[in-house]
């Protein structure tokens, strides 16, 4: 495939997420890093972009980048938005309307109404709006999804997902500006821990099972009492295919590091995967013996085979999972450009619709927590 041109907004010097995106986008040689507005400080952004080889397509602002790329004879094909949460909607909307495909960091928007607008714009313009639920790019998560879809565990009865860490557990650190903003409604919105980490676990539950959440009940709490927003949440949910769901997310679970994992239990078997040990998928058929499926072994699904690069026994981590999202997007963009059908094994990138469903769930969790766990509709209005 012809190499596509890629640009990035945010993710500048010192960013945690920027290097992962640059590694992921460049890993397979499908994208060329061509343009960027990498910092909210114009001079620093231009200098850092030039240090990465962008030269005259290192911009001082996203507005300059939008105008500059629209004027280019060969503009970027895909723009990644990796800026603070509150700016995602404005930037994503502008680039979609400007004729660019977009990969937006989560959360896609800050409100349900904004999310619905992004979905409508993406559909109207015919431009891809993907959302970076990057953990869905892991090879064995793809294989887990394929096993569920092909009936290995039968009808799904129960899914249990969690994303719990302990990095905000120190009450003495609660006033640290790098921590405090996450629990401040003025900066974070209606939810802290669920909006930050819980939506990754919820998306994983839907991605693997192929079912969407219809309603939920949440128990939320601020274990460090000076926080206005929750640092721990337990969410029960129901899915449109009949599955029952349980989700725990926490930032005060001392001893937990990253803590993202999922278990799916069906009529004929169960599956279990953890992001901290991503090379193994545990499969237990009903009445059988526990099996450990290794990433990179022979005779896995096409979905797993196309997303593994390193031989069995060697680790593949988060940047390679991101790379799989970028590989999916490259295939999708080329398929659109050439007027052909996309390879089904590649048509798995998270979409604007997923970002919208996540935002609706965030608001439902926040409201349910205030109503002593009342069961609420978790669907955005346009999907009811």
């Amino acid at each position: 495939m012809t190499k596509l041109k890629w640009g990035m907004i945010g993710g500048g010097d010192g960013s945690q997420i920027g290097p992962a995106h640059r590694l992921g986008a460049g890993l397979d040689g499908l994208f060329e890093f061509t343009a960027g507005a990498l910092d909210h400080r114009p001079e620093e952004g231009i200098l850092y972009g030039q240090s990465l080889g962008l030269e005259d397509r290192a911009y001082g602002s996203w507005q300059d980048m939008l105008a500059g790329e629209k004027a280019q004879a060969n503009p970027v094909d895909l723009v990644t938005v990796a800026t603070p949460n509150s700016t995602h909607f404005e930037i994503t909307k502008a680039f979609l309307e400007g004729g660019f495909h977009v990969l937006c960091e989560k959360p896609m928007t800050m409100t349900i109404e904004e999310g619905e607008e992004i979905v409508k714009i993406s559909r109207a313009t015919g431009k891809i709006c993907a959302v970076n639920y990057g953990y869905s790019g892991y090879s064995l998560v793809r294989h887990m999804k394929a096993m569920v879809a092909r009936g290995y565990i039968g009808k799904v009865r129960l899914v249990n997902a969690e994303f719990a860490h302990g990095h905000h557990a120190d009450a003495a650190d609660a006033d640290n500006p790098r921590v405090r903003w996450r629990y401040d409604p003025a900066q974070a919105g209606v939810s802290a821990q669920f909006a930050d980490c819980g939506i990754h676990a919820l998306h994983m539950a839907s991605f693997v099972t192929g079912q969407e959440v219809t309603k939920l009940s949440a128990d939320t709490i601020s274990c460090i009492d000076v926080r206005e927003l929750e640092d721990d949440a337990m969410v029960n949910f129901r899915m449109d295919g009949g599955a029952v769901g349980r989700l725990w997310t926490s930032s005060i679970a001392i001893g937990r590091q990253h803590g993202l994992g999922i278990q799916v239990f069906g009529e004929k078997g169960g599956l279990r995967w953890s992001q901290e040990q991503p090379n193994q998928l545990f499969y237990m058929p009903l009445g059988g013996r526990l099996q450990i499926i290794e990433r990179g072994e022979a005779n896995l699904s096409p979905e797993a085979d196309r997303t593994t690069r390193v031989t069995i026994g060697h680790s593949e981590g988060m940047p390679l999972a991101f790379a799989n999202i970028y590989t999916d997007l490259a295939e999708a963009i080329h398929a659109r450009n050439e007027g052909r059908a996309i390879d089904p094994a590649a048509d798995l990138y998270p979409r604007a619709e997923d970002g919208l469903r996540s935002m609706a769930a965030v608001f439902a969790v926040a409201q349910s927590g205030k109503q002593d766990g009342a069961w609420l509709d978790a669907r955005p209005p346009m999907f009811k």
Side-chain angles (χ1 to χ4, degrees), residues 354-382:
D354 299 304
L356 171 58
R357 290 183 187 278
S358 293
M359 188 47 55
V362 166
F363 277 83
V365 165
Q367 190 62 36
S368 177
K370 293 176 181 177
Q371 295 179 211
D372 293 326
W375 281 91
L376 300 177
D377 196 322
R379 298 170 297 174
M382 71 183 296

Side-chain angles (χ1 to χ4, degrees), residues 98-109:
F100 299 91
H101 301 296
V102 176
L103 170 61
C104 183
E105 266 299 331
K106 64 87 196 168
M108 183 177 74
T109 62

Side-chain angles (χ1 to χ4, degrees), residues 283-294:
Y283 168 47
M284 182 74 175
L286 180 66
R289 294 182 179 274
L290 180 66
Q291 301 175 28
I292 302 176
I293 298 169
E294 293 278 352

